[in-house]
Amino acid sequence: MHRRGVGAGAIAKRKLAEAKYKERGTVLAEDQLAQMSKQLDMFKTNLEEFASKHKQEIRKNPQFRVQFQDMCATIGVDPLASGKGFWSEMLGVGDFYYELGVQIIEVCLALKHRNGGLITLEELHQQVLKGRGKFAQDVSQDDLLRAIKKLKVLGSGFGIIPVGGTYLIQSVPAELNMDHTVVLQLAEKKGYVTVSEIKSSLKWEMERAKHVLEHLLKEGMAWLDTQAPGESQYWLPALFTELYSQEITPEEAKEAIP
Amino acid sequence: FIQLKRKFVKFDTGVLLLSTHRLIWRDLKNHECCIAIPLSQIVFIEEQAAGIGKSAKIVVHLHPAPSNKEPGPFQSSKYSYIKLSFKEHGQIEFYRRLSEEMTQRRWENMPVSQTIQINRGPQAGRIRAVGIVGIERKLEEKRKETDKNISEAFEDLSKLMEKAKEMVELSKSIANKIKEKQGDITEDETIRFKSYLLSMGIANPVTRETHGSGTHYHMQLAKQLAGILQAPLEERGGIMSLTEVYCLVNRARGLELLSPEDLVNACKMLVALKLPLRLRLFDSGVMVIELQSHNEEEMVASALETVSEKGSLTAEEFAKLVGMSVLLAKERLLLAEKMGHLCRDDSVEGLRFYPNLFMTQS
């Protein structure tokens, strides 16, 4: 009986200790959350002060925006994650980029029938600036890239493909793997590419080259010129703009959305 | 640059200034070089538009030089005009201003208070007009002011980021605590924590089953969306892509826009909140919002009819016929194919869908 008493008592004691520990654990989290809440309020005040002095800078100065974004990324903060975030609410960065996102979507949609959903960053930039009108804030290519990165999450196939020092922006959910990307990069120099060029530059076999080119044709991203001297040429309309460009009005762009 | 025709005596890379009395050109590379022409010397001006390889220009036709002309870069020239070439921008505005000054001729009413002094001091080749100094100083001040503003902004930004970093550290330590406790934290506390992360833009470091259930903000947003999207969805046959929704909602808002992530997180809660819409993910990665009453599988049956009537259709043709976006038209045809009702003919001419006769006629 004596032993059982000790045993029972020990268990009971242990249980009590565990319960107390859990309680303390909960209290700890409570404390930290309370602390975070307080610090958050302080931070909000700091941000408000910063905004009152420098909000204009963010809106007007693309360089400053780049700096701002880079610093945020370094410390692990995404100022564009939510419109409800402090950054967005107080600095207005959110509205700037989210609206840009809408404009990008509209431009891409309006031109999709022509370029199959691939467009150079330059052309996108030009068209977006046109749509914004001359009284709108200046928008840089860096701004466009950041807005596009955010659009990816909507699932409609937004992607950024590096080619020859610039970027091609994809806006359709077409599968573009490394092979496709590499051929696009090859085509960027002249706006078109041939099977022989692919075979000699990339050292691929005929089958592989044809497979990639056919996929691009099917997606409407490449056009076939069978009347070219020598062999057929595969042209990328996305890279055409130096040769001809098409005006679209903001109204046309809006109409493009059903 | 200022062209003396054919004899390319180039003054290039400079800044052109217009005063009520003079046209002044200042070399950006060689700050000592500054030349001017009184406006009274100008007979008339004309524009030359830009072309391929040519920049926009203003041609300034001049009176013959008076005998008491101040010393300048040239004693004389066989040409009676100079050309101002605008390599970057500004031609249109400058032409307008110059025309105005030519019309108003304010130099006739206001005698110049300072005469232009040519300072041929001990430093050889130093040509400076005193009136210019004031303009220069103002430009310099403005540059310094801008620089000061920017550097102050950067300084303040750095300090702000330091504080933000502290918040990130704190949130990490809380997240660790939560992980350790494995479910001893209340739902309420989790939601609170998530909303703090949302405010700061810190990614949620805790992966739990409730991840994606969002915060109160997202719940509210989901309810709002259900209200806003009911009518547009009905107009569009019960289904819209998430990108369409993003544009529609943000265009309507005008201010305080939603981020793409806000939209996705809110839509993920639609079903849980028993709202009459739902988020659906297709195999291709495309995301749509559907009315609960919408049944895509039923729509497939009518799609099959349409395709059969026409023999075969591409996504573009189908879209036009039915009045849908190409994106959604394609998804419907792909779904029909998945369900075995259609089969594809994939050629370089495009992707074409046919009724699946293998199924129906075997």
Side-chain angles (χ1 to χ4, degrees):
Chain A
M1 207 163 95
H2 180 64
R3 244 191 317 173
R4 246 198 311 192
V6 168
I11 294 172
K13 233 191 247 173
R14 210 185 335 128
K15 281 214 170 138
L16 191 60
E18 269 176 15
K20 276 216 168 121
Y21 176 75
K22 275 194 182 166
E23 228 178 67
R24 263 190 78 226
T26 313
V27 165
L28 269 178
E30 246 317 306
D31 273 352
Q32 285 214 293
L33 281 179
Q35 184 193 359
M36 186 162 187
S37 175
K38 251 185 28 197
Q39 270 191 249
L40 218 67
D41 282 339
M42 270 198 333
F43 182 78
K44 196 172 173 189
T45 314
N46 289 326
L47 186 54
E48 268 168 356
E49 214 190 297
F50 181 84
S52 68
K53 293 207 287 190
H54 304 298
K55 192 170 179 176
Q56 287 301 323
E57 210 60 57
I58 297 243
R59 274 215 288 259
K60 288 190 177 165
N61 189 338
Q63 258 312 105
F64 195 68
R65 278 199 293 277
V66 172
Q67 189 69 9
F68 169 75
Q69 294 273 20
D70 283 346
M71 289 178 108
C72 285
T74 306
I75 62 172
V77 158
D78 180 3
L80 299 181
S82 171
K84 196 76 175 129
F86 287 160
W87 309 98
S88 185
E89 283 185 332
M90 283 182 252
L91 288 181
V93 255
D95 278 7
F96 177 84
Y97 285 97
Y98 307 147
E99 188 186 8
L100 193 52
V102 172
Q103 290 163 348
I104 292 170
I105 291 171
E106 290 178 342
V107 166
C108 287
L109 202 55
L111 297 176
K112 186 170 79 165
H113 68 280
R114 181 159 71 83
N115 58 30
L118 269 189
I119 186 173
T120 57
L121 186 58
E122 280 76 23
E123 188 180 356
L124 180 61
H125 193 200
Q126 253 177 45
Q127 298 285 4
V128 165
L129 285 177
K130 241 191 259 181
R132 284 167 79 89
K134 55 185 175 156
F135 295 111
Q137 297 142 18
D138 193 20
V139 157
S140 70
Q141 290 188 358
D142 182 85
D143 292 328
L144 291 176
L145 288 173
R146 290 189 199 268
I148 293 167
K149 286 191 185 122
K150 283 290 146 193
L151 291 178
K152 283 189 186 186
V153 80
L154 295 174
S156 290
F158 270 93
I160 300 173
I161 303 169
V163 292
T166 177
Y167 297 94
L168 280 176
I169 306 302
Q170 179 185 353
S171 59
V172 289
E175 266 290 323
L176 290 183
N177 58 30
M178 284 293 290
D179 274 6
H180 301 119
T181 308
V182 141
V183 167
L184 289 175
Q185 287 166 346
L186 197 57
E188 188 264 345
K189 304 195 192 84
K190 291 183 292 184
Y192 71 89
V193 75
T194 63
V195 174
S196 315
E197 280 168 10
I198 295 178
K199 281 166 72 180
S200 65
S201 300
L202 304 175
K203 311 277 183 279
W204 287 0
E205 273 128 38
M206 169 86 79
E207 267 315 303
R208 188 175 174 188
K210 285 210 138 182
H211 185 72
V212 167
L213 290 171
E214 275 174 12
H215 183 82
L216 292 175
L217 280 178
K218 280 186 216 165
E219 291 295 338
M221 294 174 178
W223 292 2
L224 180 59
D225 178 8
T226 51
Q227 291 177 342
E231 66 178 299
S232 297
Q233 293 171 344
Y234 293 78
W235 286 81
L236 298 188
L239 302 172
F240 274 6
T241 20
E242 293 82 73
L243 305 180
Y244 70 85
S245 57
Q246 184 177 325
E247 285 269 327
I248 51 157
T249 60
E251 286 77 19
E252 284 178 57
K254 285 209 185 96
E255 269 172 38
I257 298 185
Chain B
F1 55 89
I2 298 182
Q3 258 179 341
L4 293 172
K5 181 159 182 177
R6 273 204 201 129
K7 265 282 181 126
F8 282 150
V9 187
K10 270 189 225 170
F11 289 85
D12 69 338
T13 320
V15 172
L16 197 60
L17 301 165
L18 176 65
S19 79
T20 52
H21 289 66
R22 284 176 305 194
L23 197 57
I24 302 155
W25 185 84
R26 188 163 167 264
D27 195 331
L28 275 180
K29 287 189 210 147
N30 173 13
H31 290 269
E32 312 287 76
C33 175
C34 201
I35 51 182
I37 280 189
L39 294 183
S40 51
Q41 281 295 108
I42 299 177
V43 179
F44 90 105
I45 56 174
E46 56 178 341
E47 288 185 277
Q48 268 185 7
I52 302 176
K54 290 193 297 178
S55 50
K57 297 188 179 56
I58 298 178
V59 184
V60 183
H61 295 266
L62 305 167
H63 287 294
S67 47
N68 63 346
K69 176 176 106 66
E70 309 281 1
F74 296 94
Q75 262 314 101
S76 68
S77 159
K78 56 176 168 155
Y79 299 105
S80 61
Y81 60 87
I82 58 172
K83 281 192 185 180
L84 310 169
S85 175
F86 293 78
K87 281 212 170 129
E88 292 188 25
H89 52 74
Q91 185 258 354
I92 296 175
E93 184 64 19
F94 202 90
Y95 181 77
R96 187 172 75 76
R97 297 294 185 102
L98 185 53
S99 306
E100 251 177 60
E101 291 301 328
M102 294 303 299
T103 313
Q104 289 180 20
R105 304 180 80 87
R106 287 190 277 181
W107 67 82
E108 286 174 358
N109 308 327
M110 307 189 303
V112 182
S113 49
Q114 297 164 309
T115 51
I116 301 174
Q117 285 172 354
I118 310 270
N119 198 349
R120 279 189 194 268
Q123 291 119 326
R126 212 173 168 230
I127 303 172
R128 197 139 208 164
V130 169
I132 301 292
V133 173
I135 298 174
E136 283 181 352
R137 201 179 290 143
K138 271 222 178 89
L139 284 174
E140 192 61 35
E141 272 172 28
K142 191 158 186 229
R143 242 196 310 274
K144 282 211 185 105
E145 186 66 36
T146 312
D147 282 344
K148 186 167 144 276
N149 284 342
I150 302 248
S151 60
E152 196 192 321
F154 276 122
E155 236 183 81
D156 288 345
L157 182 64
S158 300
K159 288 194 207 128
L160 189 72
M161 288 299 168
E162 280 303 316
K163 303 216 171 78
K165 193 167 175 194
E166 285 169 24
M167 299 299 305
V168 176
E169 295 306 323
L170 182 55
S171 72
K172 278 191 196 150
S173 99
I174 295 182
N176 283 332
K177 281 254 153 43
I178 294 178
K179 241 189 269 185
E180 283 169 22
K181 290 171 67 180
Q182 299 282 14
D184 280 358
I185 182 169
T186 65
E187 188 66 28
D188 217 45
E189 285 172 334
T190 310
I191 293 184
R192 256 174 79 193
F193 184 50
K194 278 188 179 174
S195 76
Y196 296 159
L197 295 177
L198 189 74
S199 299
M200 285 299 302
I202 300 173
N204 193 334
V206 184
T207 47
R208 294 178 55 129
E209 278 169 339
T210 50
H211 181 70
S213 61
T215 63
H216 285 304
Y217 169 62
H218 292 124
M219 279 196 266
Q220 267 180 352
L221 194 50
K223 292 178 192 157
Q224 272 180 33
L225 287 172
I228 299 171
L229 296 174
Q230 186 74 25
L233 278 169
E234 283 168 9
E235 283 169 32
R236 290 164 177 73
I239 185 170
M240 281 173 78
S241 75
L242 211 54
T243 5
E244 280 175 56
V245 173
Y246 176 78
C247 290
L248 189 101
V249 171
N250 275 341
R251 281 250 173 248
R253 283 186 152 221
L255 285 179
E256 290 181 13
L257 306 181
L258 300 183
S259 76
E261 278 160 74
D262 285 336
L263 184 60
V264 173
N265 286 332
C267 290
K268 283 182 179 167
M269 299 182 82
L270 288 169
V271 172
L273 292 173
K274 301 205 175 8
L275 293 164
L277 319 174
R278 61 169 170 256
L279 177 68
R280 180 178 180 153
L281 173 68
F282 285 118
D283 292 340
S284 60
V286 170
M287 288 198 278
V288 298
I289 300 293
E290 297 177 324
L291 288 172
Q292 283 284 12
S293 56
H294 179 88
N295 189 334
E296 187 67 8
E297 281 70 10
E298 277 171 14
M299 303 308 288
V300 159
S302 91
L304 174 58
E305 265 183 53
T306 314
V307 174
S308 305
E309 269 172 46
K310 298 288 175 178
S312 74
L313 288 174
T314 63
E316 289 80 16
E317 289 163 359
F318 180 62
K320 233 190 198 157
L321 226 65
V322 176
M324 282 179 90
S325 71
V326 177
L327 185 79
L328 294 180
K330 189 166 181 190
E331 290 302 326
R332 187 165 292 172
L333 294 174
L334 287 172
L335 185 61
E337 182 193 31
K338 192 173 174 186
M339 289 167 66
H341 298 300
L342 296 177
C343 55
R344 67 170 58 191
D345 174 23
D346 209 351
S347 72
V348 290
E349 274 149 26
L351 180 58
R352 190 163 277 279
F353 289 90
Y354 290 80
N356 185 0
L357 299 176
F358 294 111
M359 277 259 287
T360 55
Q361 286 179 10
S362 47

